[in-house]
Amino acid sequence: MGKITFQDVGQSFQGRSIFSHRNDVVEGGCITAVCGANGSGKSTFLRLAAHLLLPTEGHVSVREAGEELRREALFRRLSLVTPEMRLYPRLSARENLDFFLGLRGVRLTDEDYEALLARVGLRGSELRDTWAGAYSTGMCQRLKLACLFASGAAFWLLDEPGANLDAEGSAMVLREARRAAERGCVVLLATNDPREEAAADEVISMA
């Protein structure tokens, strides 16, 4: 089972401290929510966990089966969904999925593709020839989540995963997050949504 450990971590940007002396552990097998006001460092916390940022001070380690994962191995085992993630607007849903999952060596059959879109509440037949640039923000969020669900990643990092989703979509996110946790995945959510915080087993406050 995986684990992410923050050891006396601090982060600053251009001399402005975002947070300091963070000592947090995110365990696999449960849902952990990172909560706090806007600007408190929730997204920064996720980027540090993903090793997309190096901390100004301290150390962030990601371990699986007791072994620390280095950058290349970590990127194969981790999937991050953020508002900044961009789909290719002149590719269809299938083409976007083939591209992003292909980077991981994941190949979808036609049956896999239809089942995956149904899993996130998208209709494959309606999207077959439609470019992603014509999707609503909610549809784009569902397609981003589809990339995560099919990735096979053991570490799920989600920044505001319910953003732009309706009630059904938000429930889908929490349902899938719970299933992933039950499989032993590390599930880390950065959120201001009270429903997502309430669904979490552990809460890290950035206040």
Side-chain angles (χ1 to χ4, degrees):
M1 204 173 288
K3 177 189 293 187
I4 304 173
T5 304
F6 283 63
Q7 298 173 297
D8 204 29
V9 172
Q11 187 64 46
S12 300
F13 295 112
Q14 297 180 324
R16 184 175 73 90
S17 176
I18 306 301
F19 50 72
S20 61
H21 305 298
R22 297 294 319 188
N23 290 283
D24 301 291
V25 178
V26 182
E27 300 272 6
C30 65
I31 299 174
T32 301
V34 182
C35 301
N38 292 340
S40 61
K42 299 186 300 298
S43 297
T44 298
F45 191 94
L46 258 66
R47 288 177 174 82
L48 287 166
H51 284 37
L52 296 178
L53 284 177
L54 293 177
T56 306
E57 56 188 27
H59 179 66
V60 181
S61 65
V62 181
R63 294 181 178 272
E64 189 173 26
E67 180 178 349
E68 186 167 358
L69 299 180
R70 299 304 177 185
R71 194 177 183 90
E72 184 177 344
L74 173 61
F75 288 170
R76 291 196 300 267
R77 301 295 292 150
L78 179 146
S79 186
L80 172 67
V81 176
T82 76
E84 289 76 26
M85 179 181 175
R86 293 290 181 262
L87 302 171
Y88 284 91
R90 293 197 176 188
L91 296 181
S92 67
R94 177 63 182 268
E95 289 166 338
N96 270 284
L97 287 168
D98 284 346
F99 175 77
F100 287 111
L101 294 174
L103 296 174
R104 294 177 172 271
V106 176
R107 298 288 184 267
L108 296 178
T109 65
D110 290 343
E111 292 76 15
D112 293 335
Y113 168 71
E114 295 293 342
L116 180 59
L117 289 193
R119 185 175 167 187
V120 297
L122 295 174
R123 297 177 183 272
S125 59
E126 294 179 1
L127 300 178
R128 187 167 289 113
D129 299 316
T130 305
W131 286 351
Y135 298 174
S136 69
T137 53
M139 292 168 68
C140 287
Q141 182 68 2
R142 288 172 186 263
L143 190 55
K144 293 177 189 179
L145 291 166
C147 293
L148 166 67
F149 298 163
S151 68
F155 296 84
W156 286 26
L157 307 186
L158 301 102
D159 193 354
E160 305 289 352
N164 302 312
L165 293 178
D166 55 20
E168 179 185 351
S170 296
M172 176 267 295
V173 169
L174 294 178
R175 182 172 62 249
E176 293 288 346
R178 178 57 60 192
R179 289 174 179 170
E182 290 173 351
R183 295 195 301 270
C185 294
V186 170
V187 181
L188 181 60
L189 314 175
T191 183
N192 279 324
D193 188 328
R195 295 167 298 180
E196 292 173 353
E197 181 177 352
D201 305 296
E202 303 288 341
V203 175
I204 295 174
S205 174
M206 303 302 292

PDB file of all heavy atoms in Angstrom, residues 57-93:
ATOM      1  N   GLU A  57      11.666  23.948   1.653  1.00  0.00           N
ATOM      2  CA  GLU A  57      12.356  23.313   2.774  1.00  0.00           C
ATOM      3  C   GLU A  57      11.654  22.003   3.102  1.00  0.00           C
ATOM      4  O   GLU A  57      10.484  21.808   2.772  1.00  0.00           O
ATOM      5  CB  GLU A  57      12.356  24.231   4.004  1.00  0.00           C
ATOM      6  CG  GLU A  57      10.973  24.661   4.435  1.00  0.00           C
ATOM      7  CD  GLU A  57      10.999  25.730   5.524  1.00  0.00           C
ATOM      8  OE1 GLU A  57      11.983  26.487   5.589  1.00  0.00           O
ATOM      9  OE2 GLU A  57      10.035  25.797   6.308  1.00  0.00           O
ATOM     10  N   GLY A  58      12.397  21.091   3.714  1.00  0.00           N
ATOM     11  CA  GLY A  58      11.829  19.809   4.085  1.00  0.00           C
ATOM     12  C   GLY A  58      11.869  18.807   2.937  1.00  0.00           C
ATOM     13  O   GLY A  58      12.505  19.034   1.902  1.00  0.00           O
ATOM     14  N   HIS A  59      11.160  17.692   3.128  1.00  0.00           N
ATOM     15  CA  HIS A  59      11.206  16.587   2.165  1.00  0.00           C
ATOM     16  C   HIS A  59       9.828  15.953   2.033  1.00  0.00           C
ATOM     17  O   HIS A  59       9.120  15.777   3.030  1.00  0.00           O
ATOM     18  CB  HIS A  59      12.215  15.532   2.628  1.00  0.00           C
ATOM     19  CG  HIS A  59      12.325  14.348   1.717  1.00  0.00           C
ATOM     20  ND1 HIS A  59      12.824  14.437   0.430  1.00  0.00           N
ATOM     21  CD2 HIS A  59      11.982  13.043   1.899  1.00  0.00           C
ATOM     22  CE1 HIS A  59      12.800  13.238  -0.137  1.00  0.00           C
ATOM     23  NE2 HIS A  59      12.297  12.378   0.734  1.00  0.00           N
ATOM     24  N   VAL A  60       9.465  15.622   0.798  1.00  0.00           N
ATOM     25  CA  VAL A  60       8.234  14.884   0.510  1.00  0.00           C
ATOM     26  C   VAL A  60       8.632  13.536  -0.082  1.00  0.00           C
ATOM     27  O   VAL A  60       9.332  13.489  -1.101  1.00  0.00           O
ATOM     28  CB  VAL A  60       7.332  15.637  -0.481  1.00  0.00           C
ATOM     29  CG1 VAL A  60       6.051  14.836  -0.743  1.00  0.00           C
ATOM     30  CG2 VAL A  60       6.992  17.033   0.034  1.00  0.00           C
ATOM     31  N   SER A  61       8.206  12.463   0.545  1.00  0.00           N
ATOM     32  CA  SER A  61       8.519  11.130   0.040  1.00  0.00           C
ATOM     33  C   SER A  61       7.238  10.401  -0.336  1.00  0.00           C
ATOM     34  O   SER A  61       6.198  10.563   0.308  1.00  0.00           O
ATOM     35  CB  SER A  61       9.290  10.304   1.072  1.00  0.00           C
ATOM     36  OG  SER A  61       8.498  10.050   2.220  1.00  0.00           O
ATOM     37  N   VAL A  62       7.314   9.629  -1.408  1.00  0.00           N
ATOM     38  CA  VAL A  62       6.201   8.794  -1.860  1.00  0.00           C
ATOM     39  C   VAL A  62       6.700   7.357  -1.861  1.00  0.00           C
ATOM     40  O   VAL A  62       7.684   7.038  -2.542  1.00  0.00           O
ATOM     41  CB  VAL A  62       5.718   9.206  -3.261  1.00  0.00           C
ATOM     42  CG1 VAL A  62       4.541   8.333  -3.687  1.00  0.00           C
ATOM     43  CG2 VAL A  62       5.318  10.676  -3.283  1.00  0.00           C
ATOM     44  N   ARG A  63       6.037   6.508  -1.101  1.00  0.00           N
ATOM     45  CA  ARG A  63       6.481   5.129  -0.966  1.00  0.00           C
ATOM     46  C   ARG A  63       5.376   4.166  -1.365  1.00  0.00           C
ATOM     47  O   ARG A  63       4.192   4.429  -1.149  1.00  0.00           O
ATOM     48  CB  ARG A  63       6.911   4.830   0.474  1.00  0.00           C
ATOM     49  CG  ARG A  63       8.147   5.612   0.914  1.00  0.00           C
ATOM     50  CD  ARG A  63       8.571   5.280   2.337  1.00  0.00           C
ATOM     51  NE  ARG A  63       9.779   5.997   2.701  1.00  0.00           N
ATOM     52  CZ  ARG A  63      11.005   5.544   2.472  1.00  0.00           C
ATOM     53  NH1 ARG A  63      11.164   4.355   1.904  1.00  0.00           N
ATOM     54  NH2 ARG A  63      12.063   6.254   2.809  1.00  0.00           N
ATOM     55  N   GLU A  64       5.791   3.055  -1.923  1.00  0.00           N
ATOM     56  CA  GLU A  64       4.872   1.970  -2.256  1.00  0.00           C
ATOM     57  C   GLU A  64       5.561   0.670  -1.878  1.00  0.00           C
ATOM     58  O   GLU A  64       6.715   0.441  -2.248  1.00  0.00           O
ATOM     59  CB  GLU A  64       4.518   1.979  -3.745  1.00  0.00           C
ATOM     60  CG  GLU A  64       3.404   1.014  -4.094  1.00  0.00           C
ATOM     61  CD  GLU A  64       2.951   1.156  -5.540  1.00  0.00           C
ATOM     62  OE1 GLU A  64       3.756   1.600  -6.380  1.00  0.00           O
ATOM     63  OE2 GLU A  64       1.790   0.807  -5.829  1.00  0.00           O
ATOM     64  N   ALA A  65       4.846  -0.162  -1.101  1.00  0.00           N
ATOM     65  CA  ALA A  65       5.415  -1.411  -0.593  1.00  0.00           C
ATOM     66  C   ALA A  65       6.725  -1.147   0.156  1.00  0.00           C
ATOM     67  O   ALA A  65       7.672  -1.933   0.082  1.00  0.00           O
ATOM     68  CB  ALA A  65       5.637  -2.404  -1.716  1.00  0.00           C
ATOM     69  N   GLY A  66       6.777  -0.014   0.861  1.00  0.00           N
ATOM     70  CA  GLY A  66       7.930   0.319   1.670  1.00  0.00           C
ATOM     71  C   GLY A  66       9.100   0.933   0.940  1.00  0.00           C
ATOM     72  O   GLY A  66      10.071   1.367   1.563  1.00  0.00           O
ATOM     73  N   GLU A  67       9.021   1.028  -0.378  1.00  0.00           N
ATOM     74  CA  GLU A  67      10.138   1.549  -1.169  1.00  0.00           C
ATOM     75  C   GLU A  67       9.800   2.941  -1.685  1.00  0.00           C
ATOM     76  O   GLU A  67       8.719   3.174  -2.233  1.00  0.00           O
ATOM     77  CB  GLU A  67      10.422   0.619  -2.344  1.00  0.00           C
ATOM     78  CG  GLU A  67      11.566   1.080  -3.242  1.00  0.00           C
ATOM     79  CD  GLU A  67      11.851   0.106  -4.378  1.00  0.00           C
ATOM     80  OE1 GLU A  67      11.306  -1.015  -4.339  1.00  0.00           O
ATOM     81  OE2 GLU A  67      12.592   0.483  -5.300  1.00  0.00           O
ATOM     82  N   GLU A  68      10.737   3.871  -1.527  1.00  0.00           N
ATOM     83  CA  GLU A  68      10.509   5.225  -2.014  1.00  0.00           C
ATOM     84  C   GLU A  68      10.584   5.259  -3.527  1.00  0.00           C
ATOM     85  O   GLU A  68      11.522   4.736  -4.134  1.00  0.00           O
ATOM     86  CB  GLU A  68      11.524   6.209  -1.419  1.00  0.00           C
ATOM     87  CG  GLU A  68      11.228   7.653  -1.800  1.00  0.00           C
ATOM     88  CD  GLU A  68      12.008   8.677  -1.004  1.00  0.00           C
ATOM     89  OE1 GLU A  68      12.774   8.270  -0.098  1.00  0.00           O
ATOM     90  OE2 GLU A  68      11.841   9.883  -1.270  1.00  0.00           O
ATOM     91  N   LEU A  69       9.575   5.873  -4.139  1.00  0.00           N
ATOM     92  CA  LEU A  69       9.511   5.965  -5.590  1.00  0.00           C
ATOM     93  C   LEU A  69      10.248   7.210  -6.056  1.00  0.00           C
ATOM     94  O   LEU A  69       9.978   8.314  -5.586  1.00  0.00           O
ATOM     95  CB  LEU A  69       8.054   6.030  -6.061  1.00  0.00           C
ATOM     96  CG  LEU A  69       7.159   4.841  -5.710  1.00  0.00           C
ATOM     97  CD1 LEU A  69       5.756   5.073  -6.243  1.00  0.00           C
ATOM     98  CD2 LEU A  69       7.722   3.538  -6.257  1.00  0.00           C
ATOM     99  N   ARG A  70      11.161   7.024  -6.979  1.00  0.00           N
ATOM    100  CA  ARG A  70      11.845   8.157  -7.577  1.00  0.00           C
ATOM    101  C   ARG A  70      10.985   8.717  -8.702  1.00  0.00           C
ATOM    102  O   ARG A  70       9.970   8.143  -9.083  1.00  0.00           O
ATOM    103  CB  ARG A  70      13.225   7.738  -8.090  1.00  0.00           C
ATOM    104  CG  ARG A  70      14.130   7.210  -6.983  1.00  0.00           C
ATOM    105  CD  ARG A  70      14.295   8.223  -5.860  1.00  0.00           C
ATOM    106  NE  ARG A  70      15.101   7.708  -4.760  1.00  0.00           N
ATOM    107  CZ  ARG A  70      15.318   8.356  -3.628  1.00  0.00           C
ATOM    108  NH1 ARG A  70      14.773   9.549  -3.437  1.00  0.00           N
ATOM    109  NH2 ARG A  70      16.059   7.824  -2.668  1.00  0.00           N
ATOM    110  N   ARG A  71      11.410   9.822  -9.257  1.00  0.00           N
ATOM    111  CA  ARG A  71      10.558  10.614 -10.140  1.00  0.00           C
ATOM    112  C   ARG A  71       9.945   9.812 -11.290  1.00  0.00           C
ATOM    113  O   ARG A  71       8.740   9.832 -11.508  1.00  0.00           O
ATOM    114  CB  ARG A  71      11.375  11.794 -10.693  1.00  0.00           C
ATOM    115  CG  ARG A  71      10.549  12.877 -11.341  1.00  0.00           C
ATOM    116  CD  ARG A  71      11.443  14.019 -11.795  1.00  0.00           C
ATOM    117  NE  ARG A  71      10.677  15.104 -12.352  1.00  0.00           N
ATOM    118  CZ  ARG A  71      10.194  16.126 -11.672  1.00  0.00           C
ATOM    119  NH1 ARG A  71      10.370  16.179 -10.367  1.00  0.00           N
ATOM    120  NH2 ARG A  71       9.530  17.097 -12.268  1.00  0.00           N
ATOM    121  N   GLU A  72      10.757   9.059 -12.035  1.00  0.00           N
ATOM    122  CA  GLU A  72      10.227   8.341 -13.198  1.00  0.00           C
ATOM    123  C   GLU A  72       9.236   7.268 -12.781  1.00  0.00           C
ATOM    124  O   GLU A  72       8.156   7.130 -13.376  1.00  0.00           O
ATOM    125  CB  GLU A  72      11.377   7.724 -13.993  1.00  0.00           C
ATOM    126  CG  GLU A  72      10.922   7.032 -15.270  1.00  0.00           C
ATOM    127  CD  GLU A  72      12.080   6.495 -16.084  1.00  0.00           C
ATOM    128  OE1 GLU A  72      13.243   6.901 -15.831  1.00  0.00           O
ATOM    129  OE2 GLU A  72      11.830   5.667 -16.978  1.00  0.00           O
ATOM    130  N   ALA A  73       9.592   6.484 -11.752  1.00  0.00           N
ATOM    131  CA  ALA A  73       8.693   5.434 -11.274  1.00  0.00           C
ATOM    132  C   ALA A  73       7.417   6.034 -10.704  1.00  0.00           C
ATOM    133  O   ALA A  73       6.316   5.507 -10.894  1.00  0.00           O
ATOM    134  CB  ALA A  73       9.399   4.578 -10.223  1.00  0.00           C
ATOM    135  N   LEU A  74       7.551   7.177 -10.023  1.00  0.00           N
ATOM    136  CA  LEU A  74       6.385   7.828  -9.440  1.00  0.00           C
ATOM    137  C   LEU A  74       5.402   8.253 -10.513  1.00  0.00           C
ATOM    138  O   LEU A  74       4.191   8.054 -10.380  1.00  0.00           O
ATOM    139  CB  LEU A  74       6.834   9.039  -8.619  1.00  0.00           C
ATOM    140  CG  LEU A  74       5.720   9.931  -8.069  1.00  0.00           C
ATOM    141  CD1 LEU A  74       4.816   9.140  -7.130  1.00  0.00           C
ATOM    142  CD2 LEU A  74       6.306  11.140  -7.347  1.00  0.00           C
ATOM    143  N   PHE A  75       5.896   8.842 -11.589  1.00  0.00           N
ATOM    144  CA  PHE A  75       5.006   9.320 -12.638  1.00  0.00           C
ATOM    145  C   PHE A  75       4.250   8.177 -13.315  1.00  0.00           C
ATOM    146  O   PHE A  75       3.182   8.396 -13.875  1.00  0.00           O
ATOM    147  CB  PHE A  75       5.789  10.130 -13.664  1.00  0.00           C
ATOM    148  CG  PHE A  75       6.224  11.478 -13.164  1.00  0.00           C
ATOM    149  CD1 PHE A  75       7.105  12.255 -13.890  1.00  0.00           C
ATOM    150  CD2 PHE A  75       5.743  11.983 -11.959  1.00  0.00           C
ATOM    151  CE1 PHE A  75       7.518  13.503 -13.426  1.00  0.00           C
ATOM    152  CE2 PHE A  75       6.137  13.220 -11.490  1.00  0.00           C
ATOM    153  CZ  PHE A  75       7.026  13.981 -12.224  1.00  0.00           C
ATOM    154  N   ARG A  76       4.786   6.963 -13.270  1.00  0.00           N
ATOM    155  CA  ARG A  76       4.060   5.813 -13.819  1.00  0.00           C
ATOM    156  C   ARG A  76       2.957   5.342 -12.887  1.00  0.00           C
ATOM    157  O   ARG A  76       2.012   4.692 -13.334  1.00  0.00           O
ATOM    158  CB  ARG A  76       5.026   4.661 -14.098  1.00  0.00           C
ATOM    159  CG  ARG A  76       5.997   4.909 -15.239  1.00  0.00           C
ATOM    160  CD  ARG A  76       6.627   3.608 -15.699  1.00  0.00           C
ATOM    161  NE  ARG A  76       7.357   2.945 -14.622  1.00  0.00           N
ATOM    162  CZ  ARG A  76       8.663   3.108 -14.396  1.00  0.00           C
ATOM    163  NH1 ARG A  76       9.367   3.922 -15.146  1.00  0.00           N
ATOM    164  NH2 ARG A  76       9.260   2.467 -13.405  1.00  0.00           N
ATOM    165  N   ARG A  77       3.073   5.658 -11.594  1.00  0.00           N
ATOM    166  CA  ARG A  77       2.145   5.134 -10.592  1.00  0.00           C
ATOM    167  C   ARG A  77       1.146   6.178 -10.108  1.00  0.00           C
ATOM    168  O   ARG A  77       0.246   5.850  -9.341  1.00  0.00           O
ATOM    169  CB  ARG A  77       2.940   4.601  -9.391  1.00  0.00           C
ATOM    170  CG  ARG A  77       3.908   3.507  -9.721  1.00  0.00           C
ATOM    171  CD  ARG A  77       3.170   2.262 -10.188  1.00  0.00           C
ATOM    172  NE  ARG A  77       2.414   1.646  -9.097  1.00  0.00           N
ATOM    173  CZ  ARG A  77       1.297   0.958  -9.263  1.00  0.00           C
ATOM    174  NH1 ARG A  77       0.754   0.837 -10.473  1.00  0.00           N
ATOM    175  NH2 ARG A  77       0.684   0.421  -8.231  1.00  0.00           N
ATOM    176  N   LEU A  78       1.307   7.417 -10.555  1.00  0.00           N
ATOM    177  CA  LEU A  78       0.499   8.514 -10.029  1.00  0.00           C
ATOM    178  C   LEU A  78      -0.298   9.172 -11.144  1.00  0.00           C
ATOM    179  O   LEU A  78       0.181   9.298 -12.266  1.00  0.00           O
ATOM    180  CB  LEU A  78       1.430   9.527  -9.349  1.00  0.00           C
ATOM    181  CG  LEU A  78       0.827  10.778  -8.740  1.00  0.00           C
ATOM    182  CD1 LEU A  78       1.632  11.167  -7.488  1.00  0.00           C
ATOM    183  CD2 LEU A  78       0.840  11.940  -9.727  1.00  0.00           C
ATOM    184  N   SER A  79      -1.516   9.603 -10.810  1.00  0.00           N
ATOM    185  CA  SER A  79      -2.324  10.361 -11.758  1.00  0.00           C
ATOM    186  C   SER A  79      -2.889  11.584 -11.044  1.00  0.00           C
ATOM    187  O   SER A  79      -3.404  11.480  -9.928  1.00  0.00           O
ATOM    188  CB  SER A  79      -3.463   9.496 -12.311  1.00  0.00           C
ATOM    189  OG  SER A  79      -4.160  10.175 -13.335  1.00  0.00           O
ATOM    190  N   LEU A  80      -2.757  12.731 -11.700  1.00  0.00           N
ATOM    191  CA  LEU A  80      -3.165  14.014 -11.123  1.00  0.00           C
ATOM    192  C   LEU A  80      -4.191  14.667 -12.038  1.00  0.00           C
ATOM    193  O   LEU A  80      -3.960  14.824 -13.229  1.00  0.00           O
ATOM    194  CB  LEU A  80      -1.934  14.913 -10.975  1.00  0.00           C
ATOM    195  CG  LEU A  80      -2.137  16.364 -10.562  1.00  0.00           C
ATOM    196  CD1 LEU A  80      -2.650  16.460  -9.124  1.00  0.00           C
ATOM    197  CD2 LEU A  80      -0.829  17.138 -10.696  1.00  0.00           C
ATOM    198  N   VAL A  81      -5.330  15.042 -11.467  1.00  0.00           N
ATOM    199  CA  VAL A  81      -6.369  15.749 -12.206  1.00  0.00           C
ATOM    200  C   VAL A  81      -6.533  17.128 -11.571  1.00  0.00           C
ATOM    201  O   VAL A  81      -6.862  17.235 -10.383  1.00  0.00           O
ATOM    202  CB  VAL A  81      -7.708  14.995 -12.189  1.00  0.00           C
ATOM    203  CG1 VAL A  81      -8.797  15.823 -12.880  1.00  0.00           C
ATOM    204  CG2 VAL A  81      -7.575  13.646 -12.863  1.00  0.00           C
ATOM    205  N   THR A  82      -6.283  18.169 -12.353  1.00  0.00           N
ATOM    206  CA  THR A  82      -6.371  19.541 -11.852  1.00  0.00           C
ATOM    207  C   THR A  82      -7.176  20.391 -12.827  1.00  0.00           C
ATOM    208  O   THR A  82      -7.349  20.021 -13.999  1.00  0.00           O
ATOM    209  CB  THR A  82      -4.971  20.166 -11.705  1.00  0.00           C
ATOM    210  OG1 THR A  82      -4.476  20.515 -13.000  1.00  0.00           O
ATOM    211  CG2 THR A  82      -3.995  19.218 -11.021  1.00  0.00           C
ATOM    212  N   PRO A  83      -7.647  21.564 -12.380  1.00  0.00           N
ATOM    213  CA  PRO A  83      -8.339  22.468 -13.313  1.00  0.00           C
ATOM    214  C   PRO A  83      -7.447  22.906 -14.476  1.00  0.00           C
ATOM    215  O   PRO A  83      -7.952  23.277 -15.540  1.00  0.00           O
ATOM    216  CB  PRO A  83      -8.712  23.667 -12.421  1.00  0.00           C
ATOM    217  CG  PRO A  83      -8.794  23.108 -11.048  1.00  0.00           C
ATOM    218  CD  PRO A  83      -7.717  22.059 -10.989  1.00  0.00           C
ATOM    219  N   GLU A  84      -6.116  22.858 -14.275  1.00  0.00           N
ATOM    220  CA  GLU A  84      -5.195  23.285 -15.330  1.00  0.00           C
ATOM    221  C   GLU A  84      -4.987  22.219 -16.403  1.00  0.00           C
ATOM    222  O   GLU A  84      -4.429  22.510 -17.462  1.00  0.00           O
ATOM    223  CB  GLU A  84      -3.836  23.652 -14.725  1.00  0.00           C
ATOM    224  CG  GLU A  84      -3.822  24.927 -13.910  1.00  0.00           C
ATOM    225  CD  GLU A  84      -4.449  24.740 -12.532  1.00  0.00           C
ATOM    226  OE1 GLU A  84      -4.436  23.586 -12.023  1.00  0.00           O
ATOM    227  OE2 GLU A  84      -4.961  25.723 -11.976  1.00  0.00           O
ATOM    228  N   MET A  85      -5.415  20.988 -16.131  1.00  0.00           N
ATOM    229  CA  MET A  85      -5.280  19.930 -17.131  1.00  0.00           C
ATOM    230  C   MET A  85      -6.111  20.282 -18.360  1.00  0.00           C
ATOM    231  O   MET A  85      -7.283  20.617 -18.256  1.00  0.00           O
ATOM    232  CB  MET A  85      -5.751  18.595 -16.552  1.00  0.00           C
ATOM    233  CG  MET A  85      -5.684  17.435 -17.519  1.00  0.00           C
ATOM    234  SD  MET A  85      -6.299  15.906 -16.734  1.00  0.00           S
ATOM    235  CE  MET A  85      -6.230  14.779 -18.123  1.00  0.00           C
ATOM    236  N   ARG A  86      -5.502  20.233 -19.530  1.00  0.00           N
ATOM    237  CA  ARG A  86      -6.182  20.655 -20.749  1.00  0.00           C
ATOM    238  C   ARG A  86      -6.336  19.481 -21.714  1.00  0.00           C
ATOM    239  O   ARG A  86      -5.385  18.732 -21.958  1.00  0.00           O
ATOM    240  CB  ARG A  86      -5.399  21.770 -21.444  1.00  0.00           C
ATOM    241  CG  ARG A  86      -5.371  23.076 -20.668  1.00  0.00           C
ATOM    242  CD  ARG A  86      -6.740  23.746 -20.654  1.00  0.00           C
ATOM    243  NE  ARG A  86      -6.706  25.007 -19.919  1.00  0.00           N
ATOM    244  CZ  ARG A  86      -7.085  25.156 -18.661  1.00  0.00           C
ATOM    245  NH1 ARG A  86      -7.504  24.098 -17.989  1.00  0.00           N
ATOM    246  NH2 ARG A  86      -7.033  26.324 -18.064  1.00  0.00           N
ATOM    247  N   LEU A  87      -7.545  19.363 -22.246  1.00  0.00           N
ATOM    248  CA  LEU A  87      -7.786  18.413 -23.325  1.00  0.00           C
ATOM    249  C   LEU A  87      -7.393  19.064 -24.647  1.00  0.00           C
ATOM    250  O   LEU A  87      -7.321  20.289 -24.749  1.00  0.00           O
ATOM    251  CB  LEU A  87      -9.268  18.029 -23.354  1.00  0.00           C
ATOM    252  CG  LEU A  87      -9.835  17.428 -22.072  1.00  0.00           C
ATOM    253  CD1 LEU A  87     -11.345  17.298 -22.184  1.00  0.00           C
ATOM    254  CD2 LEU A  87      -9.198  16.080 -21.756  1.00  0.00           C
ATOM    255  N   TYR A  88      -7.172  18.241 -25.646  1.00  0.00           N
ATOM    256  CA  TYR A  88      -6.892  18.783 -26.976  1.00  0.00           C
ATOM    257  C   TYR A  88      -8.220  19.119 -27.649  1.00  0.00           C
ATOM    258  O   TYR A  88      -9.042  18.231 -27.911  1.00  0.00           O
ATOM    259  CB  TYR A  88      -6.091  17.779 -27.799  1.00  0.00           C
ATOM    260  CG  TYR A  88      -4.642  17.732 -27.387  1.00  0.00           C
ATOM    261  CD1 TYR A  88      -4.209  16.850 -26.411  1.00  0.00           C
ATOM    262  CD2 TYR A  88      -3.708  18.596 -27.955  1.00  0.00           C
ATOM    263  CE1 TYR A  88      -2.882  16.813 -26.008  1.00  0.00           C
ATOM    264  CE2 TYR A  88      -2.379  18.573 -27.567  1.00  0.00           C
ATOM    265  CZ  TYR A  88      -1.979  17.682 -26.594  1.00  0.00           C
ATOM    266  OH  TYR A  88      -0.658  17.666 -26.185  1.00  0.00           O
ATOM    267  N   PRO A  89      -8.488  20.398 -27.932  1.00  0.00           N
ATOM    268  CA  PRO A  89      -9.819  20.806 -28.380  1.00  0.00           C
ATOM    269  C   PRO A  89     -10.208  20.258 -29.746  1.00  0.00           C
ATOM    270  O   PRO A  89     -11.395  20.163 -30.044  1.00  0.00           O
ATOM    271  CB  PRO A  89      -9.741  22.338 -28.393  1.00  0.00           C
ATOM    272  CG  PRO A  89      -8.287  22.655 -28.508  1.00  0.00           C
ATOM    273  CD  PRO A  89      -7.589  21.562 -27.773  1.00  0.00           C
ATOM    274  N   ARG A  90      -9.234  19.910 -30.597  1.00  0.00           N
ATOM    275  CA  ARG A  90      -9.567  19.392 -31.924  1.00  0.00           C
ATOM    276  C   ARG A  90      -9.382  17.890 -32.014  1.00  0.00           C
ATOM    277  O   ARG A  90      -9.191  17.338 -33.099  1.00  0.00           O
ATOM    278  CB  ARG A  90      -8.743  20.106 -32.993  1.00  0.00           C
ATOM    279  CG  ARG A  90      -9.110  21.577 -33.119  1.00  0.00           C
ATOM    280  CD  ARG A  90      -8.626  22.187 -34.412  1.00  0.00           C
ATOM    281  NE  ARG A  90      -9.057  23.566 -34.550  1.00  0.00           N
ATOM    282  CZ  ARG A  90      -8.898  24.291 -35.652  1.00  0.00           C
ATOM    283  NH1 ARG A  90      -8.315  23.756 -36.704  1.00  0.00           N
ATOM    284  NH2 ARG A  90      -9.315  25.542 -35.692  1.00  0.00           N
ATOM    285  N   LEU A  91      -9.472  17.237 -30.858  1.00  0.00           N
ATOM    286  CA  LEU A  91      -9.519  15.778 -30.809  1.00  0.00           C
ATOM    287  C   LEU A  91     -10.824  15.355 -30.162  1.00  0.00           C
ATOM    288  O   LEU A  91     -11.369  16.056 -29.304  1.00  0.00           O
ATOM    289  CB  LEU A  91      -8.340  15.208 -30.008  1.00  0.00           C
ATOM    290  CG  LEU A  91      -6.933  15.436 -30.560  1.00  0.00           C
ATOM    291  CD1 LEU A  91      -5.918  14.775 -29.640  1.00  0.00           C
ATOM    292  CD2 LEU A  91      -6.794  14.917 -31.983  1.00  0.00           C
ATOM    293  N   SER A  92     -11.318  14.204 -30.545  1.00  0.00           N
ATOM    294  CA  SER A  92     -12.538  13.664 -29.950  1.00  0.00           C
ATOM    295  C   SER A  92     -12.238  13.083 -28.572  1.00  0.00           C
ATOM    296  O   SER A  92     -11.079  13.021 -28.143  1.00  0.00           O
ATOM    297  CB  SER A  92     -13.114  12.569 -30.851  1.00  0.00           C
ATOM    298  OG  SER A  92     -12.228  11.448 -30.858  1.00  0.00           O
ATOM    299  N   ALA A  93     -13.289  12.617 -27.886  1.00  0.00           N
ATOM    300  CA  ALA A  93     -13.094  11.970 -26.582  1.00  0.00           C
ATOM    301  C   ALA A  93     -12.176  10.762 -26.730  1.00  0.00           C
ATOM    302  O   ALA A  93     -11.233  10.585 -25.948  1.00  0.00           O
ATOM    303  CB  ALA A  93     -14.443  11.542 -26.008  1.00  0.00           C
TER     304      ALA A  93
END
